[in-house]
């Protein structure tokens, strides 16, 4: 999905720059950025996948993120200076219902990518099995634009090499937090995070 809402000129320029960069350049840029403070993140953000490598890799990742539902954003809520919660926003088809899923814990921690501080998106204790193979991190690129990388794949062992880092942009916050519904099967860990909103 492309972010197509009206943006301040500075943020539109920032988003255009991110769209123009290849995956390796996005990784290099990410290494120069700092994490935002959690309290400045509160709200829902529109999301867009960026270049994933060559055209084939980009098409495959975009297909995976839209095969059953379109990933359209993330939301964050700080609960202290260094901890918070969040969720992902999805739309069914191009014009279908919007709903919330894949809750996450967020905290300021050490990046797996470069060892520097990042806002870590931790799905390990809050989602079903597939979510436990996901993690992410974000840093601020401009006032209203965040650059993030999601990691999908095995976290340890020999299959660790099959992990894939997925660059994305977040713009916002564009709306206050508004959980519409969680459609996932709710485990006790899910309930703990979801009830914290």
């Amino acid at each position: 999905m492309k972010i197509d809402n009206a943006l301040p000129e500075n943020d539109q320029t920032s988003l255009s720059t991110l769209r123009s960069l290849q995956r390796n350049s996005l990784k290099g840029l990410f290494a120069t950025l700092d994490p935002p403070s959690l309290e400045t993140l509160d709200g829902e953000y529109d999301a867009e996948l960026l270049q994933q490598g060559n055209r084939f890799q980009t098409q495959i990742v975009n297909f995976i993120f839209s095969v059953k539902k379109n990933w359209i954003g993330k939301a964050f809520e700080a609960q202290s200076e260094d901890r918070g919660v969040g969720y992902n926003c999805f739309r069914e088809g191009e014009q279908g219902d919007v709903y919330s899923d894949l809750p996450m814990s967020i905290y300021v921690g050490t990046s797996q990518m470069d060892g520097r501080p990042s806002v870590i998106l931790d799905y390990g204790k809050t989602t079903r099995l597939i979510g436990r193979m996901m993690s992410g991190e974000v840093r601020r690129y401009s006032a209203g634009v965040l650059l993030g990388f999601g990691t999908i794949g095995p976290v340890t062992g020999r299959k660790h090499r099959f992990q894939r880092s997925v660059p994305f942009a977040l713009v916002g916050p564009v709306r206050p937090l508004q959980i519409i519904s969680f459609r996932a099967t709710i485990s006790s860990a899910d309930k703990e995070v979801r009830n914290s909103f």
Side-chain angles (χ1 to χ4, degrees):
M1 298 290 290
K2 288 279 187 191
I3 295 170
D4 58 4
N5 55 330
L7 300 175
E9 186 176 346
N10 183 49
D11 290 339
Q12 185 61 62
T13 300
S14 297
L15 182 58
S16 295
T17 298
L18 293 181
R19 285 171 171 164
S20 72
L21 295 176
Q22 293 300 314
R23 186 166 172 268
N24 285 339
S25 297
L26 289 166
K27 283 186 171 183
L29 174 62
F30 188 77
T32 70
L33 304 178
D34 295 315
S37 58
L38 294 190
E39 57 267 23
T40 65
L41 287 180
D42 283 3
E44 285 192 356
Y45 290 70
D46 286 339
E48 182 177 313
L49 293 169
L50 299 171
Q51 293 294 323
Q52 304 297 324
N54 60 39
R55 180 181 291 180
F56 176 72
Q57 291 166 325
T58 297
Q59 288 175 340
I60 289 294
V61 171
N62 276 281
F63 174 76
I64 290 168
F65 275 73
S66 63
V67 63
K68 286 190 175 179
K69 52 193 177 184
N70 288 303
W71 175 63
I72 59 170
K74 288 185 183 289
F76 307 106
E77 181 181 63
Q79 297 185 317
S80 70
E81 192 175 297
D82 58 359
R83 292 267 167 190
V85 291
Y87 56 86
N88 286 266
C89 307
F90 295 91
R91 182 187 306 279
E92 290 187 343
E94 290 297 318
Q95 303 295 327
D97 292 340
V98 174
Y99 63 98
S100 309
D101 203 348
L102 294 177
M104 58 193 163
S105 299
I106 63 172
Y107 58 90
V108 178
T110 302
S111 169
Q112 290 185 344
M113 295 178 65
D114 60 20
R116 297 181 57 246
S118 278
V119 173
I120 307 299
L121 316 179
D122 183 359
Y123 298 90
K125 296 179 180 175
T126 61
T127 58
R128 303 169 309 281
L129 179 61
I130 188 67
R132 292 175 188 163
M133 296 176 69
M134 295 168 42
S135 63
E137 44 190 277
V138 295
R139 291 178 179 158
R140 189 171 297 285
Y141 180 54
S142 67
V145 178
L146 303 173
L147 174 58
F149 276 85
T151 302
I152 303 171
V155 254
T156 58
R158 299 163 94 186
K159 294 181 181 176
H160 177 73
R161 67 182 185 278
F162 295 114
Q163 272 192 350
R164 177 76 181 174
S165 295
V166 176
F168 60 87
L170 298 176
V171 171
V174 293
R175 292 173 297 280
L177 290 163
Q178 50 180 6
I179 297 177
I180 302 185
S181 67
F182 278 117
R183 297 190 179 181
T185 303
I186 301 178
S187 69
S188 58
D190 290 337
K191 288 178 182 175
E192 184 179 337
V193 172
R194 295 170 187 194
N195 292 339
S196 63
F197 281 100

